[in-house]
Amino acid sequence: MGACRNDPLTSGSAPTLCRDCASLLPREAPVARCPSCGSRRIVSHPDLERLSIVHVDCDAFFASVEKHRRPELAGRPLLVGGTGDRGVVSTACYIARLSGARSAMPMRQARQLCPDAIVLEPDIAAYRAVAKTMREMMSALTPLVEAKSIDEAVLDLSGTMQLHGAPPCVVAARLALAVERELGVSISVGLAENPMMAKLAAEIDKPRGYGVIGAEAAEWLASRSVRTLPGVGAAQERALGRAGFTTLGAVAALSDHDAVRRLGPHGPSLAARARGEDVRRVTPSRPAKSVSVETTFATDISAVAELERRLWLLCERLGARLRKGELSATGISLKLRTSRFETRTRAARLFTPTILPERLFALARELLTKEIDGSAYRLLGIGTNGLAPLAAADPPDLADPNSGRRAAMQNAIDSIRTRFGDTMLNRGRALDRK
């Protein structure tokens, strides 16, 4: 019971959909194949025509884009990610996953598990272009499209029956077919009553899945691990286990009073989600909360001059990304990871918002200096700690020669010029002007 499956024989009493021709099938009798196209990829669920929240999750997105661009890779195991000794797998295609390779795994380990795999460096610009086209295809169906990541989005198709002449379940199937046909990327679809359950439904039958969870959501969740809920990580799973909760059914049974008493102030919210409840609406646009860039070094670095050089390059990239996003930074955060995988973060505020690499570097260098204690670092990153509109960046008083802020920026420029020369400084200014 619960989410729909690719059953060999579907019940004639429930709405049934063919995923290969996106047609609703007659209910008169059970069918093993679509009478229109002969496909066995048919799904059936009592709530199929009622549900309207759709979660779209691309299957091995980076690898799918690469295989579409390079047809010779079809049928070959493919890993996309860093190719150096410190490289990490961004995406493993499903063929490579059969050998145990997976995303976020060190590339060296993935290559050992799948020695025949082709390894490619990520082409983020290409992936963003495909994602943009896919978002446009979604936005043509409904204005209520909320991007979750480069390869995930949730759509609210309620009220679109008259517009499309078909219920949301059919519209979602048409979208999956169009994306695969036009972009060469397969997607998995989740159909449910709310965004959380739609996301879980999309994970049921990947790749090329079409999961449906309706009124049986609480029953479907009850026997599953607490880790099933989005946002519940390993630490929270352990904490819940110590409190005696290992399944979502046990959490769902708590009253609000008992949830607060046993799980703390967020207990009632967790119990509601364990019952499949989610009051969030699909929000078409959410402002960016932060912008960041980071780099993992090929070898650990402890030398101050080299760390500062790498920091300057990151400040160049951050300034360019802020301008492109029409944003400015009101503060920065510095991220360092030691050779022992200890992560250190430090943050500070700016006097005024900025996109200038020189100002970002001046403050970031102060934070970095405090962490120079002989440690060797494998990763360095810089991000914003607060955002403002681009129009608020670098107000005119920075041009006032008597301004203290102007003097501080000039000191930063002099420091960069001393350490790295004019070439590096001019690179940052040219990048900032783009």
Side-chain angles (χ1 to χ4, degrees):
M1 297 293 293
C4 69
R5 300 174 295 275
N6 293 329
D7 296 324
L9 193 66
T10 60
S11 169
S13 62
T16 302
L17 171 73
C18 174
R19 295 163 56 193
D20 281 331
C21 66
S23 59
L24 285 172
L25 308 184
R27 301 193 191 188
E28 287 77 11
V31 294
R33 291 179 181 272
C34 172
S36 299
C37 70
S39 172
R40 291 184 178 273
R41 295 207 314 144
I42 51 181
V43 292
S44 181
H45 192 284
D47 297 324
L48 188 64
E49 294 180 280
R50 178 179 66 84
L51 303 170
S52 60
I53 303 299
V54 175
H55 188 98
V56 171
D57 187 359
C58 296
D59 302 321
F61 181 54
F62 292 0
S64 294
V65 174
E66 294 294 355
K67 288 195 174 189
H68 183 62
R69 298 167 69 194
R70 310 173 193 223
E72 69 274 13
L73 297 179
R76 302 284 301 278
L78 174 63
L79 302 172
V80 179
T83 57
D85 290 340
R86 298 292 183 89
V88 174
V89 177
S90 298
T91 303
C93 79
Y94 282 88
I95 298 174
R97 293 182 194 187
L98 294 175
S99 301
R102 55 176 174 77
S103 300
M105 175 181 284
M107 185 62 77
R108 178 181 294 178
Q109 182 182 356
R111 280 174 153 171
Q112 291 172 347
L113 291 169
C114 191
D116 296 332
I118 306 297
V119 180
L120 296 177
E121 289 272 7
D123 186 344
I124 299 300
Y127 309 150
R128 285 177 177 159
V130 173
K132 181 176 182 292
T133 301
M134 190 162 55
R135 298 283 187 272
E136 291 170 350
M137 296 169 70
M138 296 177 190
S139 296
L141 303 177
T142 173
L144 299 178
V145 178
E146 181 178 339
K148 294 296 186 180
S149 67
I150 192 172
D151 62 348
E152 277 188 273
V154 60
L155 299 76
D156 185 345
L157 292 171
S158 58
T160 62
M161 175 75 181
Q162 185 174 359
L163 175 64
H164 301 298
C169 62
V170 171
V171 176
R174 290 174 180 169
L175 173 66
L177 293 171
V179 169
E180 190 163 355
R181 180 179 63 250
E182 298 175 24
L183 302 179
V185 174
S186 69
I187 65 175
S188 290
V189 170
L191 184 63
E193 293 183 334
N194 59 58
M196 182 188 75
M197 294 310 302
K199 177 177 176 61
L200 293 174
E203 297 171 358
I204 289 172
D205 194 27
K206 289 176 70 70
R208 301 184 79 210
Y210 193 116
V212 184
I213 304 176
E216 79 287 0
E219 177 187 353
W220 186 85
L221 289 167
S223 62
R224 286 173 164 76
S225 163
V226 293
R227 187 75 177 268
T228 303
L229 283 187
V232 175
Q236 190 172 8
E237 181 185 24
R238 290 192 295 269
L240 288 168
R242 289 193 295 269
F245 299 97
T246 58
T247 65
L248 290 171
V251 179
L254 292 172
S255 66
D256 285 353
H257 177 269
D258 287 340
V260 171
R261 181 173 60 85
R262 301 191 62 181
L263 302 178
H266 299 293
S269 173
L270 182 63
R273 292 197 297 138
R275 293 188 289 269
E277 300 169 9
D278 183 5
V279 298
R280 293 174 302 165
R281 296 177 179 271
V282 177
T283 306
S285 60
R286 287 184 174 176
K289 294 182 179 179
S290 64
V291 180
S292 62
V293 292
E294 63 180 43
T295 183
T296 300
F297 308 137
T299 57
D300 297 339
I301 298 175
S302 58
V304 178
E306 182 61 16
L307 286 170
E308 288 185 351
R309 188 181 74 83
R310 300 299 186 97
L311 180 61
W312 167 251
L313 296 174
L314 290 175
C315 290
E316 286 183 326
R317 290 170 54 195
L318 181 59
R321 288 192 61 184
L322 286 168
R323 176 177 287 280
K324 185 174 181 180
E326 298 186 353
L327 298 167
S328 59
T330 59
I332 64 166
S333 59
L334 184 75
K335 177 181 177 182
L336 292 156
R337 185 167 295 149
T338 70
S339 56
R340 297 183 177 182
F341 289 88
E342 172 196 358
T343 300
R344 303 179 184 179
T345 57
R346 298 291 182 267
R349 304 293 291 177
L350 288 150
F351 288 114
T352 56
T354 190
I355 59 168
L356 296 176
E358 296 95 328
R359 292 189 63 203
L360 295 169
F361 177 80
L363 187 54
R365 180 170 166 263
E366 291 181 15
L367 299 178
L368 176 64
T369 300
K370 297 175 182 178
E371 301 304 316
I372 301 301
D373 57 6
S375 298
Y377 295 105
R378 59 179 284 115
L379 178 147
L380 175 65
I382 182 174
T384 59
N385 183 24
L387 291 170
L390 179 61
D394 306 301
D397 64 348
L398 282 173
D400 179 359
N402 298 318
S403 167
R405 291 194 289 272
R406 171 65 183 174
M409 189 172 76
Q410 186 59 53
N411 288 337
I413 293 172
D414 292 341
S415 176
I416 296 164
R417 180 176 287 113
T418 299
R419 285 170 169 76
F420 313 131
D422 286 331
T423 301
M424 190 80 76
L425 182 64
N426 291 337
R427 258 189 59 185
R429 286 172 167 168
L431 196 63
D432 177 63
R433 287 194 293 268
K434 289 182 179 178

